[in-house]
Amino acid sequence: MSLFFFYLTLPALTLLARRLPLTAGQCLLLPAAALLTPIHLFFSRSFGIESIALCSAVWFLFCYDRLGLRTSAASFAFATILAVLAALTKITTYLVFLVPALILTLARLQSIPPAKWRNNLKSFGAQAAAALLGLGVGYLWVKYGDHVKSSNPLSNFLISDNMHDWNYGPIEMRFTRAFWESVLHNTQRDILSMGNLLVAVIITMAGPTAHRKAAALLILCFLAGPLAFSNLYLVHNYYYFANTVFALAVLVLAWSCLLNSAAGRRRWVTAAVVFSLALQAAGFHRELFLEQREKDYRIPIESTWIDAATDPTDVIVVFGEDWSPIIPYYAKRRVVMISNQDSGNVEAIDHVISQIPPEQLGGFLVTSPEVVGSG
């Protein structure tokens, strides 16, 4: 499923590339780069929501842009549905993609004489309504999630109000050297090799005005994620999965500059672009591929024990695994995970266990006795 949605993203990337100063053939370089980028190669094969969130957000951005050019009930419905899907799948990804959506709207405003703005109020209103409906549904979903989390004293700390610092990080974090070193490290390890990073920035900044402006805006879109959700991007490299497409677009603009100025050196420039693409794949084999290959994917023996000793409808209480879902996933059982930080909260643990019908309490699994409270 994850791979399917990643591949479904590629046509939208090709269509959106037409908004950049690229030829029709050069537009195909963006999905080509995405297919060979380390973070995409790794996490599009993972058990997660990243590619679904990216797919929804990229297609939303395309439909949002089309809605500004041709307002109709169908285009409004598509843009709204995709906005809602993106927000429900991963609200942080959707919020990041509202930045390029705003840039597209401002670019259209700039291209229209002020005297004709009133004639375009309908299309601007439709775009705003689609984006805000997605935002509104996403907000309601977060509040519903908070309600569910707060019903369990062991997960109450996960409600959005309590996660504010974890999600955003302190303001001063954005001005620290360590933060920007982390951004650079994740970029050159998981997105663009150092060679391609230098090619992307230097060549586009020395290129035509249209390429320079587009590159500057794309860099802004790429940095919108780390700047808004600084701590999340600092701790979890998979958050870069979505905004990576903006960094890749800058690289494609650099390739475009080279191809447009090739003149009699077309073969050499084409070879340089192919070599640059190969560097993307080499970056994956140098880092993330090794991590993927060396992972131990054996089914935990504890899962086998639970599966053999309990009924499928039983609930298991697990100590010592913190929040890891691996054991219950392979055991195919519902569980109450007692996180390490809550292992001594006897009152809360008793309250949660008391909510489980006695006939469904299948047992306790303790993998690290030292985390179990004295109670």
Side-chain angles (χ1 to χ4, degrees):
M1 288 298 290
S2 188
L3 267 175
F4 170 78
F5 279 100
F6 175 65
Y7 292 144
L8 191 60
T9 305
L10 302 179
L13 289 178
T14 307
L15 293 170
L16 279 172
R18 296 176 182 176
R19 297 289 276 126
L20 301 172
L22 302 171
T23 65
Q26 291 168 1
C27 288
L28 294 173
L29 290 172
L30 183 54
L35 282 167
L36 293 175
T37 296
I39 197 167
H40 287 161
L41 285 167
F42 186 84
F43 285 109
S44 64
R45 289 160 174 78
S46 68
F47 190 88
I49 62 173
E50 304 310 313
S51 60
I52 303 174
L54 173 64
C55 181
S56 303
V58 170
W59 277 108
F60 155 72
L61 190 60
F62 170 72
C63 291
Y64 176 92
D65 187 42
R66 294 289 297 173
L67 183 59
L69 301 174
R70 187 193 309 172
T71 305
S72 66
S75 58
F76 176 75
F78 278 119
T80 303
I81 290 170
L82 287 162
V84 169
L85 284 174
L88 291 179
T89 305
K90 192 167 187 176
I91 189 67
T92 50
T93 294
Y94 178 66
L95 290 172
V96 168
F97 271 76
L98 288 181
V99 175
L102 178 60
I103 290 173
L104 288 172
T105 298
L106 293 176
R108 246 188 98 231
L109 269 173
Q110 190 178 25
S111 66
I112 299 172
K116 295 185 178 180
W117 282 2
R118 292 186 62 182
N119 299 335
N120 291 271
L121 284 177
K122 182 179 179 182
S123 60
F124 288 129
Q127 285 181 312
L132 290 173
L133 280 169
L135 196 61
V137 172
Y139 174 79
L140 292 174
W141 181 248
V142 169
K143 288 302 176 185
Y144 172 72
D146 285 346
H147 172 72
V148 173
K149 295 169 190 173
S150 62
S151 68
N152 182 345
L154 296 178
S155 61
N156 185 58
F157 74 96
L158 289 172
I159 64 175
S160 51
D161 287 345
N162 294 336
M163 295 292 289
H164 186 275
D165 289 342
W166 174 258
N167 292 333
Y168 303 102
I171 294 295
E172 57 268 21
M173 174 187 287
R174 295 153 179 82
F175 302 98
T176 63
R177 178 177 177 178
F179 171 74
W180 289 105
E181 285 179 346
S182 170
V183 172
L184 179 61
H185 171 74
N186 284 316
T187 301
Q188 66 88 27
R189 186 193 71 168
D190 300 338
I191 302 172
L192 299 175
S193 65
M194 185 55 71
N196 277 342
L197 182 59
L198 292 174
V199 165
V201 175
I202 294 173
I203 294 182
T204 53
M205 291 301 109
T209 301
H211 285 65
R212 289 201 307 272
K213 288 183 177 179
L217 292 173
L218 286 166
I219 291 172
L220 174 63
C221 294
F222 172 74
L223 292 177
L227 288 173
F229 305 102
S230 299
N231 192 61
L232 290 176
Y233 277 79
L234 184 68
V235 176
H236 303 300
N237 66 325
Y238 58 81
Y239 268 84
Y240 284 90
F241 187 90
N243 60 321
T244 283
V245 297
F246 303 119
L248 295 179
V250 178
L251 179 62
V252 171
L253 285 173
W255 292 340
S256 171
C257 291
L258 292 174
L259 291 168
N260 292 344
S261 62
R265 297 171 286 115
R266 186 78 179 184
R267 289 184 181 177
W268 290 105
V269 172
T270 302
V273 172
V274 172
F275 178 73
S276 185
L277 272 168
L279 284 179
Q280 291 295 99
F284 171 64
H285 282 272
R286 186 175 61 251
E287 293 277 354
L288 292 179
F289 175 70
L290 297 178
E291 182 178 338
Q292 178 176 291
R293 187 179 62 180
E294 293 171 3
K295 283 285 186 182
D296 184 359
Y297 293 109
R298 289 177 297 177
I299 296 177
I301 188 64
E302 296 91 342
S303 300
T304 306
W305 295 342
I306 293 172
D307 186 35
T310 63
D311 293 328
T313 57
D314 285 349
V315 178
I316 312 300
V317 180
V318 180
F319 288 87
E321 292 296 307
D322 207 24
W323 289 96
S324 173
I326 295 175
I327 290 176
Y329 175 77
Y330 285 109
K332 301 182 180 70
R333 296 294 185 272
R334 292 177 298 160
V335 298
V336 173
M337 303 295 294
I338 309 299
S339 66
N340 294 348
Q341 69 181 42
D342 284 321
S343 60
N345 191 347
V346 178
E347 183 179 353
I349 294 172
D350 285 345
H351 173 77
V352 171
I353 293 176
S354 70
Q355 306 303 307
I356 304 171
E359 67 275 9
Q360 289 188 356
L361 184 57
F364 294 80
L365 173 67
V366 180
T367 60
S368 297
E370 63 271 15
V371 305
V372 180
S374 59

